[in-house]
C-alpha cells in the first residue's frame, strides 16, 4: 500500500508505504475493502489553491486499486486507510 500526498504551498510530495504481513493482513484487507474505490470519480472537491491531493495505490491479493482524492475528500474510510499507512510507515525501520 502506498499513499502519496502532493500539493500544498510549495507543491512538495510526500510518500508513505506499508505492507501487510502475517496476522495483520486481515486488518489491512478490511481497511482497503472499506473504501469506496468505485465512487472515487465523483469525489473531486478540489476547490481552492494550495490544497493537498492524496494518491492511494493498494494491492489486495491480485486486485490492484488506485484512487486520487482532494484533501477535503480524504475522510471516513479513506482517512482511516491513509492514517494506518502513515502510522505503519512511521513505525517500520528505515532502509
Amino acid at each position: 500500500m502506498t499513499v502519496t500526498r502532493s500539493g500544498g504551498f510549495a507543491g512538495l510530495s510526500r510518500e508513505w508505504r506499508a505492507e501487510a504481513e502475517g496476522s495483520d493482513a486481515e486488518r489491512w484487507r478490511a481497511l482497503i475493502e472499506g473504501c469506496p474505490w468505485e465512487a472515487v470519480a465523483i469525489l473531486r472537491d478540489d476547490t481552492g489553491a494550495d490544497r493537498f491531493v492524496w494518491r492511494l495505490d493498494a494491492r489486495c491479493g491480485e486486485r490492484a486499486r488506485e484512487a486520487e482524492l482532494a484533501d477535503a475528500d480524504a475522510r471516513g474510510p479513506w482517512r482511516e486507510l491513509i492514517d494506518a499507512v502513515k502510522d505503519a510507515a512511521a513505525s517500520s525501520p528505515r532502509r
Side-chain angles (χ1 to χ4, degrees), residues 8 16-17 22 24 30 36-37 40 55-56 62 64 73 81 85 88-89 91:
W16 298 268
R17 293 180 182 270
D24 220 18
W37 297 91
V40 144
R55 179 163 175 78
L56 293 86
E62 293 298 315
D73 296 322
L81 181 57
V85 173
S91 65

Side-chain angles (χ1 to χ4, degrees), residues 2-16:
T2 304
V3 171
T4 307
R5 183 192 71 198
S6 61
F9 178 69
L12 300 175
S13 290
R14 182 123 190 247
E15 184 175 283
W16 298 268

Side-chain angles (χ1 to χ4, degrees), residues 20-91:
E21 296 178 340
S23 62
D24 220 18
E26 193 55 42
R27 175 180 162 264
W28 284 105
R29 182 180 314 277
L31 285 167
I32 292 168
E33 295 295 329
C35 292
W37 297 91
E38 292 76 25
V40 144
I42 63 171
L43 288 176
R44 299 286 304 165
D45 174 19
D46 51 7
T47 56
D50 299 330
R51 302 283 184 195
F52 289 122
V53 174
W54 296 90
R55 179 163 175 78
L56 293 86
D57 295 299
R59 181 167 295 278
C60 194
E62 293 298 315
R63 190 171 186 184
R65 297 179 177 207
E66 297 179 354
E68 190 171 293
L69 308 168
D71 196 39
D73 296 322
R75 60 184 183 267
W78 294 114
R79 178 53 60 187
E80 289 179 44
L81 181 57
I82 289 167
D83 289 345
V85 173
K86 289 170 64 177
D87 290 345
S91 65

